[in-house]
Amino acid sequence: MLRFISGKFLFMLLSMFLLITATFFLMNAIPGSPLQGEKATSEAVQKNLEAYYGLDKPLIVQYGKYLENLLHGDLGISMKMKFRSVDKMIAESFGPSLRLGITALITSVVVGCILGILAAMHHRKLLDNLAMTIAVIGLAIPSIVLAPTMQYFLGTKLGWFNVAGLDGPLDYVLPTIALASGPIAFIARLLRSTMIEVLGSDFIKTAKSKGLSGYVIVVKHAFRNSMLPVVTYLGYLTAGIITGSVVVENIFAIPGIGKHFVTSIIDRDYPLIMGITIFYAAILMLTRFLADVAYVLVDPRMRSGGKVGK
Amino acid sequence: MSSTHELSKMRSDELTPDLFEKLDRDDVRVDTVSRASLTAWQDIRMRLTSNKLAMFGFFLIIVMVLLAIFMPFIWPFDHYTNNLTNTNKPPDAKHWFGTDDLGRDMFERVWMGARISLFVGVAAALIDLVIGIIYGGIMGYYGGKIDEVMNRFAEILYSIPYLLVVILLLVVMEPSLTTIIIAMSITGWVNMAWIVRGQVMQLKNQEYALASKALGAGEMRIIFRHLIPNAMGPILVTLTLTIPNAIFTEAFLSFLGLGVQSPVASWGTMINDGVGGLFYYPWRLFFPAIFLSIVIFAFNVFGDGLRDAFDPKLRK
């Protein structure tokens, strides 16, 4: 098991390195210098600027420097917002994004699991149909539609929520729903189908014949054994929430990383685009790795080989 | 404990007298098969057509495709002429979906957007299909070292977050319909390749493949004439479910301003434009938003139905 985990870890580092390399060379493949503004600058000023940003050195040296800086957590300087370092900008805007992201993550898992369990326990009955209808709708309406629609009806028309910002706890409601609706639907469907299969298996019959209560059977036996696909999904869930947050933060004017990301794309602020891409990728790969580790810990078949775990 | 009750009712294996029915010996015809004999495809079609939700999705897809193809020809307005005396008009008899900030007819623009969304979805899915079948077919058929190396490469591609790659590529390349499809295909095919690989691995040792080999058929013939057609079920399902994802991705990219450029507008671009004026001109958001949701819904339920129809475990 230790071998499996260390293998995954090395693989994560390799992917990360490849992404950083690809990002660097892609950004350098863009024709024209990012320092060429609309105003003509004198030769000397141009040279000075290039030296300041280190653009006068050969590409491979720039690449080495970039990697070295990355190790110190230095992501360079934003080109549009002069004298602001990218890592500071990310650090400052990470708070709101993280709080919203965690809220959405927990909501997705909890609500998704509850819907999935209810649907599986009441297979082919009213509750099942209801839960699955919610799930299909949740899958069909993307965040770029759901967020502005809720903002319009619940924010403007009914006035129940603020349409922008992330100041009070009530401000979390709409962005969280916008982020979590898709993942809730996905988890509910995933858990339902696995759980229906598990509920039909022999060990559930054994548990039932031992006289265990329905609650114990569902929570301790069926749910635990249906969780594996959900655990695997957690890595992709994070990806979905990050993607969603880019949209949702813009629509609800939340000062998070997603908002910076869109601005950086519109401004073609390359260091900022690179910095945020690498930051996002790092979070994603880390969660995927943690999901792999969690999978090993949850799956009893994987546990038997190693000494770590229980 | 109501849940115990539920469980026991759900999985009741008890044999009670009312489950049995007395039959006269003469009524039983053991020598005839009561159920019509169906080929695999007939059975799948039957199960698919009996799934109401899936057929509804299929119907929606057909309607949307037809409207997207023909509506722009029929409708009297075009999608690019500005009419600055007629901006931001709410829906009326002349402009069914109102007009946008440049006075362009939204009804026409919605159907032009439908063309783009559907085209991107289908094109991206087809490219995934071609690359996935070739790559996955070779991986699965040859196995061993070739499989290991090719699989490692696919894994590395897959481990890099999909949308980040697409965004990076689009930042670098000139945004256009072609570049969007290329950017989406660069890592998008991996999933399809794995599906094909799994199927081929499972099928390649079956008797008919071995028989074909014994008759001297070439490897390419075995892969493409025998293995791929038999693996068509999961491939079709993956294909159908790739389309809504591609449509969503395109809308997302357009929302970020990385999509097709004006005056052509996809649904994502229109939604992005609509968000700005949401409080005054809500129709500019809602029409593209509704149709985007309908198309994603239709492909998802149809894909689900297809998957259920192909799943032998769900056979009754």
Side-chain angles (χ1 to χ4, degrees):
Chain A
M1 192 174 85
L2 216 55
R3 244 192 80 171
F4 174 80
I5 291 178
S6 54
K8 287 276 176 194
F9 187 74
L10 285 178
F11 198 74
M12 176 183 78
L13 291 185
L14 175 70
S15 315
M16 198 63 219
F17 172 73
L18 281 173
L19 182 85
I20 291 168
T21 309
T23 317
F24 181 83
F25 287 103
L26 270 177
M27 289 295 143
N28 274 287
I30 301 164
S33 159
L35 299 176
Q36 277 166 350
E38 275 139 32
K39 283 180 287 181
T41 43
S42 71
E43 190 86 354
V45 172
Q46 197 73 25
K47 278 261 147 53
N48 259 337
L49 274 175
E50 274 181 15
Y52 179 73
Y53 287 110
L55 293 176
D56 51 346
K57 300 190 182 68
L59 197 59
I60 195 76
V61 176
Q62 289 184 37
Y63 174 62
K65 186 77 193 157
Y66 192 77
L67 284 186
E68 192 198 320
N69 287 343
L70 262 182
L71 285 179
H72 304 138
D74 177 3
L75 293 165
I77 304 161
S78 163
M79 291 200 165
K80 290 286 144 131
M81 302 186 193
K82 296 275 148 61
F83 308 117
R84 294 201 63 191
S85 70
V86 170
D87 39 273
K88 283 241 173 60
M89 288 175 79
I90 291 178
E92 279 164 18
S93 52
F94 188 45
S97 292
L98 182 71
R99 286 199 297 274
L100 185 59
I102 298 276
T103 317
L105 195 89
I106 294 172
T107 313
S108 311
V109 174
V110 171
V111 179
C113 283
I114 291 175
L115 279 182
I117 292 175
L118 284 179
M121 282 175 66
H122 301 266
H123 186 37
R124 294 200 175 142
K125 277 191 235 131
L126 182 71
L127 259 174
D128 182 20
N129 293 337
L130 201 70
M132 284 308 107
T133 312
I134 296 175
V136 168
I137 294 172
L139 271 190
I141 303 181
S143 48
I144 61 171
V145 172
L146 188 60
T149 311
M150 286 194 304
Q151 195 182 34
Y152 182 71
F153 286 110
L154 303 179
T156 319
K157 289 278 150 181
L158 295 171
W160 291 352
F161 300 99
N162 289 334
V163 291
L166 197 64
D167 304 319
L170 213 57
D171 291 344
Y172 280 86
V173 176
L174 296 188
T176 303
I177 297 175
L179 283 176
S181 73
I184 286 175
F186 195 91
I187 293 177
R189 285 155 52 108
L190 195 65
L191 191 62
R192 172 182 177 267
S193 60
T194 350
M195 197 140 164
I196 286 172
E197 214 164 287
V198 169
L199 281 176
S201 57
D202 288 342
F203 74 92
I204 293 291
K205 282 181 193 151
T206 313
K208 224 173 10 173
S209 64
K210 268 169 36 183
L212 292 181
S213 71
Y215 173 80
V216 174
I217 289 174
V218 168
V219 172
K220 287 203 88 170
H221 294 274
F223 181 60
R224 260 195 89 156
N225 282 284
S226 320
M227 250 175 51
L228 285 179
V230 178
V231 171
T232 325
Y233 174 66
L234 284 182
Y236 300 94
L237 174 63
T238 320
I241 286 180
I242 286 181
T243 317
S245 74
V246 172
V247 169
V248 168
E249 283 180 12
N250 269 280
I251 290 174
F252 289 101
I254 294 162
I257 296 179
K259 195 147 171 43
H260 275 315
F261 194 43
V262 175
T263 324
S264 72
I265 289 171
I266 294 168
D267 289 346
R268 293 291 192 268
D269 187 345
Y270 298 120
L272 194 53
I273 297 178
M274 277 167 85
I276 296 179
T277 306
I278 290 169
F279 182 73
Y280 275 163
I283 294 181
L284 280 179
M285 289 176 182
L286 200 66
T287 35
R288 240 184 246 177
F289 170 69
L290 291 178
D292 280 337
V293 174
Y295 191 95
V296 180
L297 293 179
V298 174
D299 190 348
R301 279 165 305 184
M302 298 287 281
R303 206 184 296 147
S304 58
K307 291 189 177 66
V308 197
K310 239 183 180 172
Chain B
M1 277 283 151
S2 72
S3 42
T4 323
H5 181 61
E6 293 286 341
L7 270 178
S8 63
K9 230 165 63 181
M10 204 160 80
R11 313 243 159 250
S12 155
D13 298 327
E14 281 172 60
L15 298 176
T16 45
D18 58 289
L19 287 174
F20 295 93
E21 192 184 338
K22 222 171 191 172
L23 278 182
D24 216 344
R25 178 184 285 186
D26 299 332
D27 289 344
V28 188
R29 319 210 60 156
V30 276
D31 54 337
T32 54
V33 181
S34 57
R35 190 182 168 179
S37 146
L38 295 171
T39 65
W41 285 100
Q42 279 172 331
D43 180 54
I44 287 160
R45 204 170 59 211
M46 200 187 73
R47 279 155 62 198
L48 185 63
T49 43
S50 65
N51 183 339
K52 285 194 200 93
L53 192 61
M55 287 328 283
F56 179 59
F58 184 65
F59 169 75
L60 284 179
I61 293 169
I62 298 290
V63 170
M64 294 301 278
V65 168
L66 289 178
L67 286 174
I69 293 173
F70 294 111
M71 221 52 204
F73 293 123
I74 302 168
W75 198 243
F77 299 96
D78 61 45
H79 67 279
Y80 49 83
T81 309
N82 300 348
N83 182 354
L84 296 176
T85 57
N86 199 24
T87 58
N88 293 321
K89 283 270 147 51
D92 57 25
K94 202 166 147 215
H95 301 283
W96 287 4
F97 292 174
T99 62
D100 70 359
D101 54 340
L102 293 173
R104 297 174 294 197
D105 180 67
M106 281 297 289
F107 189 77
E108 173 76 16
R109 285 176 74 73
V110 162
W111 296 115
M112 290 304 284
R115 285 183 174 184
I116 292 175
S117 291
L118 292 169
F119 179 73
V120 168
V122 173
L126 286 181
I127 294 178
D128 285 1
L129 177 77
V130 172
I131 304 178
I133 282 190
I134 295 173
Y135 199 93
I138 293 174
M139 263 198 299
Y141 187 79
Y142 290 107
K145 267 274 173 300
I146 295 178
D147 176 42
E148 210 166 285
V149 172
M150 287 174 85
N151 200 12
R152 210 14 77 86
F153 178 71
E155 256 177 37
I156 290 173
L157 264 189
Y158 196 71
S159 71
I160 304 170
Y162 172 69
L163 266 169
L164 292 181
V165 176
V166 177
I167 289 174
L168 276 180
L169 286 171
L170 285 175
V171 167
V172 176
M173 298 191 286
E174 195 83 358
S176 76
L177 211 53
T178 328
T179 33
I180 289 182
I181 295 171
I182 293 174
M184 280 162 65
S185 308
I186 281 184
T187 58
W189 56 269
V190 176
N191 210 6
M192 181 64 89
W194 278 335
I195 300 276
V196 177
R197 172 178 177 263
Q199 286 293 312
V200 169
M201 278 185 151
Q202 196 187 340
L203 294 173
K204 72 175 173 192
N205 287 326
Q206 298 207 343
E207 286 77 2
Y208 59 86
L210 294 176
S212 181
K213 203 174 191 173
L215 286 170
E219 281 167 338
M220 285 302 135
R221 190 185 158 84
I222 297 178
I223 294 181
F224 290 104
R225 284 300 298 268
H226 295 291
L227 301 184
I228 299 290
N230 277 296
M232 222 49 219
I235 292 174
L236 265 181
V237 173
T238 314
L239 187 72
T240 322
L241 292 173
T242 309
I243 295 174
N245 264 334
I247 291 176
F248 166 75
T249 308
E250 189 278 328
F252 175 79
L253 294 168
S254 298
F255 188 85
L256 295 183
L258 292 170
V260 290
Q261 301 299 299
S262 182
V264 186
S266 76
W267 285 338
T269 326
M270 280 183 254
I271 290 171
N272 191 17
D273 292 344
V275 168
L278 179 63
F279 304 114
Y280 309 105
Y281 325 115
W283 61 89
R284 285 182 46 200
L285 172 83
F286 289 140
F287 289 113
I290 288 168
F291 286 106
L292 177 64
S293 304
I294 289 178
V295 164
I296 293 180
F297 166 82
F299 275 106
N300 270 320
V301 292
F302 180 64
D304 281 352
L306 211 54
R307 184 176 45 206
D308 290 350
F310 274 111
D311 190 348
K313 271 185 277 178
L314 293 174
R315 205 170 186 165
K316 272 169 252 151

